[in-house]
Amino acid sequence: MYTISDVAKLLGITAHTLRYYEKEEIIAPIRNANGERVYDDANLAWLRFVMRLKQTQMPISQIRKYAQLYLEGEHTAQDRLNLLEDHRNSVQSQIRNLTATEKVLKDKIATYKNFITKGAGIR
């Protein structure tokens, strides 16, 4: 079992973020006899997944929806699959956009390097 500060350190996030996720019903930590939040390994695995979703720009509302569907049970598997497939499509679009942007930057960097070494004009 882990305390809120343990989890925050392990995941590189703040205790405030963990409390926010609880408020948004994304995670439901266990409470000990003193009412303090405690987390188990399953909570950590879930939080790592949530952090991946956040890193790929999934809105909190969608993460909350996924969490609620999970808690509703196995009959929501298709809805969860649909939600994740939609998000994967969004991630793939982000990757295409980032790849195109990287190419533009690579070309611009090459232009500057050429200018610096050869004195060619820059646009």
Side-chain angles (χ1 to χ4, degrees):
M1 294 298 218
Y2 307 92
T3 66
I4 194 168
S5 60
D6 293 336
V7 173
K9 286 178 190 173
L10 281 169
L11 299 179
I13 58 178
T14 65
H16 174 75
T17 297
L18 291 166
R19 287 188 289 273
Y20 173 73
Y21 287 164
E22 183 178 1
K23 178 180 156 263
E24 291 296 319
E25 300 178 347
I26 291 169
I27 186 144
I30 304 158
R31 298 286 180 151
N32 66 16
N34 296 329
E36 299 165 330
R37 294 167 180 88
V38 289
Y39 301 82
D40 60 16
D41 289 329
N43 293 136
L44 285 177
W46 168 245
L47 285 165
R48 285 185 177 106
F49 181 62
V50 167
M51 291 173 61
R52 286 283 181 195
L53 296 175
K54 282 297 297 165
Q55 288 171 351
T56 57
Q57 311 305 310
M58 180 181 269
I60 287 292
S61 62
Q62 288 298 100
I63 296 171
R64 182 185 324 108
K65 182 177 180 180
Y66 181 89
Q68 289 168 346
L69 288 168
Y70 175 81
L71 292 174
E72 286 179 32
E74 291 182 12
H75 70 279
T76 67
Q78 185 64 53
D79 292 332
R80 286 181 275 155
L81 173 62
N82 294 343
L83 193 147
L84 292 177
E85 286 179 333
D86 287 346
H87 185 63
R88 181 185 59 192
N89 291 337
S90 173
V91 168
Q92 289 170 337
S93 177
Q94 291 175 53
I95 290 168
R96 285 189 299 275
N97 289 334
L98 287 170
T99 299
T101 300
E102 182 196 24
K103 182 183 181 327
V104 170
L105 289 170
K106 182 180 175 184
D107 293 346
K108 187 57 80 175
I109 288 167
T111 299
Y112 274 99
K113 285 183 176 182
N114 188 45
F115 171 76
I116 292 168
T117 59
K118 298 181 183 173
I122 298 179
R123 290 186 277 170

